[in-house]
Amino acid sequence: MSIIFHEETKVFHLQNDAISYIMMVLPNGKMGHLYFGKRIHDREDFENLLELVPRPMSSGIFVGDKFFSSQHIKQELPDYGTGDYRSPAVEILQKNGSRISDFQYHSHHVEAGKPLLPGLPATYTEDQKEAETLVLNLVDSVTGIEAELFYTIFAQRGILARSIRYHNKGNQSVYLGRAMSLCLDLPDCEYDWVQLSGAWGRERHVKTRRLATGVQSIGSMRGNSSHEHNPFLILKRPLTSERQGEAIGFSFVYSGNFLMQAEVDAHDNTRVLVGLHPDTFTWHLKEGESFQTPEALMVYTDSGLNDMSQSFHQLFQTRLARGYWRDRVRPILINNWEATYFNFTEDKLVQIAEKAKECGVELFVLDDGWFGARNNDFAGLGDWVANPERLSGGITGLAERISQLGMKFGLWFEPEMVNKDSDLYRSHPDWILEAPGRENSQGRNQHVLDFSRKEVVDCMFEMMAKILREAKVSYIKWDMNRSITECFSKSFAPEQQGEIFHRYILGVYDLYERLTTEFPEVLFESCASGGGRFDPGILYYAPQGWASDNSDAVERMKIQYGTSMCYPISSIGSHVSVIPNHQVYRNTPLHTRANVAYFGTFGYELDLNKLSEKEIEEVKEQIAFMKEYRSLLQFGAFYRLKSPFEGNELVWMVVSEDKRTALVGWYRILNVVNDRFTRVKLQGLNEDFCYEVSQDGTKRYGDELMNLGLVTSDATAGQTPQDEIPCTDFESRIYILKAVEV
Ligand code: GLA
C-alpha cells in the first residue's frame, strides 16, 4: 500500500495490491478525479485521463484553455455554481444569498493509519501499518471555508474510506446546505445498479436495473436508515456475476437520512454521490467551527459480487464492529416476544427459560412489556423501571432467577421513544420532537424523544445504566419502532432546525458510546421494527442486528441473502419461530427453520414448552450442531451459490480459514415432481483436499466439488421408495464437508 504524490504533475496515486485511486490538481486549482479501479502501474503523468475534448456550448471554460470545462471534468469535490451542472457534493449558503463556492487545492499531508471521526462511527485500524490516509486541504477563498478530504486506503483488499471535514476559517457564519461524503466520477455508464430495498417484513431484497441517463437514487428521509432502502449500492458491469467481473460497492456508515445517487450525463459519464440527504439537512457553521461528514466506503473488485461482499464482511467484522463481542461466537438465545407478546408473568418467563436451558440455549431475552404501565403498546415507553405487578423482584430478581438456571439474561429497550401515557412524558412534555402549533403525527402510538438534546440522552443513559449496574444483564436488544416526523427541536434556534435529524443520530451514537464504554461486555443487538436500521453505523456499536420481524424461513431466505451482500453473517440476527408463522402463516419444517437461522446469530423465538418431545429432541440436536459449527458459520468465508431471487433454490456455504471444513446450506422452496438432475458448484475449497460429504459419506476432491459440483438431486417427489421419508415443500439440507486423508 502506498500513497504517491508527483510534485511536478500534482498527481496523487493511492494504491495497494488490489486497487489504484488516482487524482490530480487541475490547472484551475480544483481537484480532478482520474481513475478508480484495478491496480495499475504508477506514472508521473496521467493527464490523458482528463479526456479533454472541445465541446460546443460548454461553460466553465478555464481561461486560456477552451478544452477545459468543469462541465465535463471528473471531480473530487464538485461545488455549486462554477460551471459543473451535475449535482454538487457541497453547497455553502452565504450571508449575501450566494450559494456559489470554488474549492481549490491548498495543501495535503499523509498520515499512517486512520484518524477517528469524532462522535461518529467509522472503520478503524489497530496497527498503523494497516492503512494510510491522505488528507487533501481545499479552500474556498471567498468564504474562507476549508475542506479536508480524507482518503484512507487499507493494505488489504480494494477498500477505500472517505469523509470530509469543513472548517469555517472565514469571518462570516454560513450554512452547509449539502455536505456529501463521497463523489466518484466514472468515465462511462455501462453498469447495472443494484440496491437492497423492501419494506417492513421484507427488508433488503436485491433489486437490479440498468443505469440510465439522468439521476437515479435511493435514500431515506425518515430519520432512520430505513426498511425501504439500505445505505448500500453496487454498480456492477452487466455481465458481472457472483463469481466474476467488475463491481464497485458503496456503503454509508450512517444510521439516519441518506442519499445515494448516480447521475449519468449527456456524455455517459457517471457521477456517484453518497452522503447525508441534502433535502433534510442544513448546518449552521459559525466562524471557528467545524463539521465532519459521516464516512462512506467504496470497495472495488474484478472478481465478482461475492468477492466484494467478502471485503465488506471482513472490514465490518474486524475493523468496524468493536469490543468484547467482535471476535466471539454469539450466544444462542431465546426471545419471548413471539412466545408471549405482552401476555406474560414472571413464572411464565422462567418456564420458557427452563425448557430452553434444558435444550442448551445460553441466553434468555425478555422483550417488550416489562416496564412502567406497558401492558400494550399505548403506554409505558420512557419509564424504564420494572413493573412490580409483573416482576415482583424487578429486573434484578428475574435476572437472578435466570442466572440460577445457568443462563445469561438479556433485556429489551426502546430508549429513543416515549408514550404520552408515561411518567416521563408527564414530567417532560417538551422532550419530544414536535413542531410548534401543529399536531404530531402518530406512529405505533408513540413519539420520538428529542435526542438532539443532551439532557434527554443523559436521562436515558442514567435509567438504562441503573438497571445494568444493578442486575446481571449480559445483552440488550435496542429497538426503534417509528420513524421521525415533525422534526423540530424546542431547544435549538431557528437557524439550527436543519441540523436536528443529524443531531438526533449523533445523540443515538452518544448513548451507544456511553453504554458500550461503561458496560463493555454487554452484547448489543440493534433493531428497528426488525431491519429498519440495519446499517454500518449501528454495527460499530452493536455487532449484531435483528434482520427482520419476519421470522418465516422462506421469507428469511431472501432477507438474509440480500443482507449478506454487504453485512457479515455474524451480524444477522436470525431465529427459529413457531408454525404457523406469525407473519405469513406458513408451515415450514423445523429443520428448515433452523437451517436458515444457522446462517446468522441463531436463536429461538417461541415457547419450547409447546413443542412435542420429538421436536424437543430435534431442537437439542440443532443447538448442539450450532455450538459445534457457529464459529465457522459466523466467521468463515461466506459464498452465495444460488439466489432465491432467481429460482426455486437457495444455496450458500461457508468455508473455514484452513479450508478443511465447509458447510453448504441447500434450500428448495417448492417441491418439484420428477425433477431434473441438480448440482451446485461449490467455492472456496482447496482443490487438492479430499472432502467427505456428510449426507452420503462419499469422498470428493475439492476440484470436483468446485468444477463438477455437489449433487443435490433426490427422490423427494413422485414415487418415493417405501423406505425413504418423502420430502415436501420447503425442504433443506446442510451438507458438512470435512477434509479427510486418502
Ligand atoms: C419491534 C421488534 C420486535 C419486538 C417488538 C416489541 O417490532 O422488531 O422484535 O421487539 O418491537 O414491541
Side-chain angles (χ1 to χ4, degrees), residues 337 367-368 374 412 444 477 479 481 527 529-530 546 549:
W337 180 241
D367 211 280
D368 195 355
R374 186 78 168 170
W412 181 95
R444 211 192 178 193
K477 178 175 170 188
D479 212 336
N481 280 318
C527 177
S529 296
W546 183 224
D549 272 351

Side-chain angles (χ1 to χ4, degrees), residues 32 59 161 201 204 256 356 404 431 457 508 512 563 565 592 618 646 674:
S59 312
R204 291 175 301 286
Q404 275 166 14
W431 275 12
V457 176
V508 171
Y512 257 119
T563 306
M565 285 278 165
T592 291
E618 199 177 331
E646 287 165 17
N674 202 4

Side-chain angles (χ1 to χ4, degrees), residues 93-276:
L93 317 180
Q94 298 143 53
K95 271 230 167 84
N96 64 3
S98 165
R99 297 192 296 157
I100 300 157
S101 59
D102 184 10
F103 281 94
Q104 303 205 0
Y105 171 83
H106 177 267
S107 58
H108 74 272
H109 68 274
V110 172
E111 295 177 20
K114 182 171 189 291
L116 293 171
L117 267 56
L120 282 166
T123 55
Y124 58 89
T125 50
E126 287 198 329
D127 177 330
Q128 299 227 316
K129 291 193 206 79
E130 290 173 6
E132 260 188 306
T133 302
L134 169 67
V135 187
L136 293 177
N137 218 287
L138 277 55
V139 174
D140 174 52
S141 60
V142 172
T143 57
I145 309 287
E146 195 180 287
E148 277 186 292
L149 277 56
F150 293 84
Y151 298 82
T152 299
I153 183 159
F154 287 84
Q156 306 292 329
R157 294 185 160 262
I159 305 167
L160 214 68
R162 297 176 55 177
S163 73
I164 301 178
R165 195 176 298 165
Y166 292 98
H167 304 275
N168 188 344
K169 295 193 170 168
N171 51 18
Q172 59 164 297
S173 64
V174 298
Y175 291 92
L176 283 174
R178 180 182 269 257
M180 305 306 280
S181 299
L182 168 156
C183 171
L184 180 67
D185 282 348
L186 295 161
D188 69 86
C189 66
E190 300 296 306
Y191 290 100
D192 281 346
W193 159 293
V194 185
Q195 68 193 56
L196 302 180
S197 293
W200 175 87
R202 53 177 171 82
E203 296 89 340
R204 291 175 301 286
H205 282 208
V206 180
K207 312 250 181 204
T208 306
R209 64 188 133 127
R210 194 62 190 267
L211 205 58
T213 302
V215 173
Q216 38 256 281
S217 72
I218 49 168
S220 169
M221 300 203 286
R222 312 175 66 104
N224 50 319
S225 50
S226 88
H227 298 87
E228 283 72 14
H229 301 296
N230 198 258
F232 176 66
L233 162 69
I234 306 169
L235 293 186
K236 72 170 190 70
R237 295 298 184 187
L239 293 179
T240 293
S241 65
E242 287 288 354
R243 300 176 71 135
Q244 57 193 25
E246 269 195 315
I248 306 173
F250 300 89
S251 170
F252 192 38
V253 187
Y254 192 62
S255 311
N257 293 348
F258 73 94
L259 177 70
M260 289 182 141
Q261 82 172 40
E263 179 173 2
V264 178
D265 72 11
H267 300 98
D268 287 353
N269 295 303
T270 303
R271 167 166 296 169
V272 179
L273 289 174
V274 175
L276 296 169

Side-chain angles (χ1 to χ4, degrees), residues 449-621:
L449 284 169
D450 183 354
F451 262 46
S452 69
R453 293 169 74 157
K454 187 166 176 308
E455 67 270 34
V456 177
V457 176
D458 286 348
C459 172
M460 282 306 129
F461 173 74
E462 282 313 325
M463 280 201 241
M464 293 174 80
K466 184 169 188 302
I467 291 176
L468 295 178
R469 284 175 197 139
E470 287 169 4
K472 290 183 187 158
V473 178
S474 333
Y475 161 108
I476 285 181
K477 178 175 170 188
W478 177 324
D479 212 336
M480 193 269 186
N481 280 318
R482 68 157 286 185
S483 298
I484 297 176
T485 54
E486 290 85 22
C487 186
F488 185 96
S489 170
K490 296 176 199 87
S491 70
F492 281 87
E495 58 272 22
Q496 286 189 284
Q497 293 301 326
E499 303 174 9
I500 304 307
F501 269 117
H502 183 55
R503 286 187 180 276
Y504 176 91
I505 289 294
L506 295 180
V508 171
Y509 291 154
D510 180 31
L511 183 56
Y512 257 119
E513 186 68 37
R514 286 151 75 175
L515 289 169
T516 50
T517 304
E518 183 169 338
F519 308 100
E521 291 188 15
V522 171
L523 172 61
F524 282 78
E525 175 153 351
S526 70
C527 177
S529 296
R533 204 164 61 183
F534 198 105
D535 58 62
I538 288 288
L539 211 56
Y540 183 71
Y541 306 96
Q544 60 189 59
W546 183 224
S548 175
D549 272 351
N550 194 337
S551 62
D552 171 67
V554 177
E555 296 292 308
R556 275 300 187 119
M557 291 179 198
K558 285 186 174 165
I559 294 168
Q560 292 176 210
Y561 185 95
T563 306
S564 81
M565 285 278 165
C566 182
Y567 303 96
I569 300 306
S570 60
S571 70
I572 303 177
S574 52
H575 300 167
V576 173
S577 63
V578 77
I579 55 165
N581 170 268
H582 288 189
Q583 292 77 40
V584 294
Y585 312 103
R586 183 183 282 134
N587 289 326
T588 52
L590 183 54
H591 66 270
T592 291
R593 281 175 270 157
N595 288 348
V596 174
Y598 291 144
F599 287 81
T601 58
F602 198 72
Y604 291 82
E605 183 129 353
L606 45 76
D607 184 352
L608 291 166
N609 292 300
K610 296 191 174 151
L611 266 51
S612 69
E613 258 176 49
K614 193 161 163 274
E615 286 171 322
I616 286 295
E617 285 317 305
E618 199 177 331
V619 166
K620 286 181 183 165
E621 282 168 27

